[in-house]
Amino acid sequence: MSTETDKRPTWDEYCIKLAEVASERSTCLRRKVGAVLTTRERRIIAINYNGAPSGLPHCSDLGGCLRKQSNIPSGQRMEICRAVHGEMNAIITSAMYGSSTKQTTLYLTHFPCVICAKILVQAGVEQIVYKDPYGDEVSNAESAKIFKQAGIQLRKI
């Protein structure tokens, strides 16, 4: 016998769907990323996406993506990117509003880059659940190595 609750998404499915919806707000012209940060008690403390810093012009306002125009491959020279990554924005929002990121789970549309991997270790995130790879195999492998060394659990759904 099927009930209405059988159709209810799992917590992981729910949070990934929220991350996907958040990614629709992204102003990045290259990759749309959404992030949802939750506590162990399943309380959402931040939902974010990647894009230009608050109040600053977006890449589309400035004539396009500088990294794309310069033919810079995915995962390289990220300091040139105007966007703040979705996972960075989730950590920043948590800090702005006084929510601890220690022992949290981060749900992402895409696997974190190396820079974000280091930030997530420092923020005390204990688990990362993601949908898609980041883009380039070298960055994915390096991020995975950092997470393994830090004891952060990774789950792809």
Side-chain angles (χ1 to χ4, degrees), residues 11-122:
W11 181 252
D12 286 351
E13 292 167 342
Y14 172 67
C15 289
I16 286 293
K17 284 181 183 183
L18 290 174
E20 290 173 331
V21 170
S23 75
E24 294 173 15
R25 293 273 309 148
S26 171
T27 61
C28 184
L29 300 173
R30 208 169 204 193
R31 180 175 287 118
K32 309 254 183 232
V33 177
V36 175
L37 189 63
T38 69
T39 65
R40 279 185 173 177
E41 297 77 25
R42 295 184 171 180
R43 186 173 66 88
I44 295 170
I45 57 175
I47 298 178
N48 289 93
Y49 52 89
N50 60 328
S54 296
L56 298 183
H58 306 298
C59 293
S60 58
D61 301 327
L62 298 172
C65 174
L66 182 58
R67 293 181 72 237
K68 186 174 183 177
Q69 292 168 356
S70 301
N71 294 317
I72 298 171
S74 176
Q76 296 179 18
R77 303 288 319 270
M78 289 184 282
E79 74 278 5
I80 293 173
C81 181
R82 184 165 188 78
V84 179
H85 290 191
E87 48 271 68
M88 289 180 194
N89 273 328
I91 299 299
I92 292 164
T93 298
S94 296
M96 284 177 61
Y97 295 102
S99 295
S100 174
T101 57
K102 186 175 182 182
Q103 298 177 330
T104 53
T105 298
L106 183 64
Y107 292 87
L108 292 163
T109 55
H110 294 79
F111 193 72
C113 72
V114 175
I115 294 170
C116 288
K118 294 183 272 187
I119 289 169
L120 297 172
V121 169
Q122 287 298 92

Side-chain angles (χ1 to χ4, degrees), residues 140-155:
N140 287 335
E142 198 56 37
S143 293
K145 188 164 104 178
I146 289 168
F147 293 136
K148 183 177 182 179
Q149 290 169 341
I152 294 175
Q153 180 185 1
L154 298 175
R155 290 191 294 121

